[in-house]
Amino acid sequence: MSTAPDPGTDLARTLPGRFYHDPAIWAREQERLFGRLWVCVGRADQLDATGRYRTARVGDESVLMVRDAAGVLRAFLNVCRHRGAQLCPAAEGQTRTLQCRYHAWTYGLDGRLLRAPGLQDSATFDRGAFGLVRVALDTWEGLVWVNLAEDPPPLADQLIPQIADRLGDAARLAPYRIGTLAVGRTIEYEVRANWKVVVENFMECYHCAPMHPELVRLLPAFRSGATQEYGLGTRLTDDAEALTMSGRAPGPPFPGLAPGHERHYYGMVVRPNMLLNLLPDHVIVHTLTPLAPDRSRVTCDWLFAPEVVARPGFDPEDTVGLFDRVNRQDWDVCEWVQAGVRSRAFAAGGVYVGIERHIRGFNDWVLDQLGLSAESPAPDSPTPRA
């Protein structure tokens, strides 16, 4: 007898439970989804000087991003070409060259092999064949994106249709000037939940009334559970200026906002790993990094107009405090879900009610990327690494 629920006319099925904890599915996601798509890895202003570098996990690789002497942002696999040692173990730093700690093979900021001790007089060693392995890198609105594929399509082909689908016209994003905004605060969260649980939670507000009292006070339409994810934004309450703890705005609204954007919140998922929150006077960017089948990292940046951040006594706490509280409430929910997805009660999955049905589109996109159906047997387990 099947344990799959009958979704009925107003319900849709979720993914089966194994999609949220199975190591084999996790490994397939790293290979076929995060290993082939453009993935957001942070902001370009974090690499603001020659020799500034950062590392990021992308799929099953460590990727090294660095700004070279010509000011060009470059990305490489974070691996020495000699014996495979990880080149830069730190998350970020400043350097003049990239030197392996193991045997001191040394690379330029452009990835060329400069020195290989003991081989400097070799007539047969081709130094040019042993440069760092390049990774495709591009920027969009001040954010850095990398792609592990051999010949990836343009970044815009992945992003612009998603923005247009959410806003009706991708040009409506321009007045937010995301690429020119300054960081007011960054908070990094560790969430004990599968990355898809985090995305699915962001996509619905069915939970907002019981879980987010501060949010629904300012965005009262959320009390109904409707996110308007694929329609209009959600309007601020009439007695608040902004989405802040006090309801006061941290600065003037961005000039040139499209009609209907002046007092509205727009939230959107930019697949595969960015959650974008547009407000009339600030922008919040969540960058999601899958760490394990049951663990994720979310880096949250609060962005303001540079002149607002430069004001004497600027304090973003009133703004940060509201969404930081919402974030932490959401991470609690996600961890509750993760605690249950292994249960036999969820083996066949659960259901989405009518105002959550759009999440099924995200599920189907994941399945398409993986080349699976919800009924597919589990893929072969990955070979354990020594």
Side-chain angles (χ1 to χ4, degrees):
M1 178 177 177
S2 173
T3 59
D6 180 357
T9 56
D10 295 323
L11 304 177
R13 286 196 177 97
T14 73
L15 292 173
R18 67 181 184 278
F19 279 84
Y20 301 96
H21 64 80
D22 188 319
I25 290 175
W26 160 263
R28 197 177 183 97
E29 289 174 344
Q30 304 319 299
E31 174 195 356
R32 298 199 176 195
L33 199 158
F34 292 96
R36 296 180 182 178
L37 297 177
W38 288 97
V39 177
C40 185
V41 292
R43 304 186 316 276
D45 62 11
Q46 296 170 306
L47 301 161
D48 58 356
T50 297
R52 286 287 294 170
Y53 72 85
R54 291 179 61 84
T55 60
R57 177 168 177 166
V58 180
D60 59 2
E61 295 282 1
S62 174
V63 176
L64 168 66
M65 289 80 63
V66 64
R67 192 174 293 275
D68 72 12
V72 177
L73 275 177
R74 299 183 181 273
F76 309 98
L77 296 183
N78 187 20
V79 175
C80 179
R81 296 297 305 283
H82 173 217
R83 295 268 294 279
Q86 190 171 76
L87 194 59
C88 293
E92 59 183 314
Q94 180 83 34
T95 188
R96 300 171 106 180
T97 58
L98 301 165
Q99 186 176 81
C100 181
R101 299 160 297 156
Y102 194 8
H103 296 96
W105 279 39
T106 304
Y107 304 84
L109 301 178
D110 60 359
R112 290 180 301 118
L113 178 62
L114 302 179
R115 291 183 295 279
L119 293 172
Q120 61 269 25
D121 298 323
S122 172
T124 59
F125 178 65
D126 181 5
R127 187 179 299 158
F130 287 89
L132 297 178
V133 176
R134 295 182 181 273
V135 172
L137 179 149
D138 203 349
T139 58
W140 174 81
E141 292 291 354
L143 299 166
V144 180
W145 298 71
V146 298
N147 192 311
L148 296 176
E150 290 291 332
D151 186 23
L155 173 62
D157 290 357
Q158 179 177 312
L159 301 186
I160 299 306
Q162 297 187 64
I163 302 298
D165 182 59
R166 177 66 182 92
L167 299 181
D169 180 351
R172 293 178 180 171
L173 187 69
Y176 292 94
R177 303 176 298 149
I178 298 172
T180 72
L181 301 182
V183 178
R185 179 74 59 82
T186 298
I187 299 178
E188 192 172 275
Y189 307 90
E190 296 278 336
V191 187
R192 294 186 299 275
N194 183 273
W195 71 278
K196 297 185 296 299
V197 172
V198 176
V199 172
E200 291 177 21
N201 176 77
F202 182 83
M203 290 183 71
E204 55 93 357
C205 216
Y206 190 33
H207 70 283
C208 285
M211 286 302 305
H212 299 314
E214 299 86 0
L215 186 66
V216 299
R217 175 178 64 84
L218 294 165
L219 298 170
F222 278 174
R223 287 196 182 95
S224 71
T227 60
Q228 302 178 0
E229 179 69 23
Y230 295 98
L232 299 175
T234 304
R235 183 178 173 83
L236 283 163
T237 184
D238 290 340
D239 60 359
E241 298 176 352
L243 195 68
T244 60
M245 294 296 288
S246 69
R248 294 190 296 272
F254 300 124
L257 292 174
H261 288 230
E262 306 93 336
R263 290 187 53 79
H264 284 69
Y265 162 76
Y266 289 80
M268 68 189 79
V269 176
V270 183
R271 299 185 303 269
N273 73 317
M274 188 174 75
L275 313 178
L276 183 60
N277 307 271
L278 304 176
L279 285 306
D281 44 40
H282 68 284
V283 171
I284 307 168
V285 177
H286 295 71
T287 305
L288 175 60
T289 304
L291 299 176
D294 59 355
R295 192 160 54 91
S296 305
R297 177 182 301 122
V298 182
T299 303
C300 193
D301 295 309
W302 282 261
L303 308 176
F304 303 84
E307 59 272 20
V308 171
V309 174
R311 284 190 318 220
F314 168 72
D315 182 358
E317 188 54 40
D318 187 35
T319 304
V320 172
L322 189 283
F323 230 93
D324 178 47
R325 184 169 298 184
V326 171
N327 283 340
R328 294 178 191 277
Q329 292 162 342
D330 277 336
W331 311 153
D332 284 344
V333 171
C334 291
E335 292 179 1
W336 298 345
V337 171
Q338 193 65 38
V341 293
R342 288 178 175 271
S343 170
R344 70 188 71 180
F346 199 74
V351 295
Y352 300 119
V353 303
I355 55 178
E356 302 174 296
R357 286 179 63 96
H358 59 279
I359 302 175
R360 184 67 217 192
F362 168 70
N363 295 160
D364 290 338
W365 173 82
V366 169
L367 292 172
D368 184 60
Q369 298 298 315
L370 301 184
L372 297 174
S373 71
E375 294 75 29
S376 297
D380 292 337
S381 297
T383 302
R385 296 185 177 182

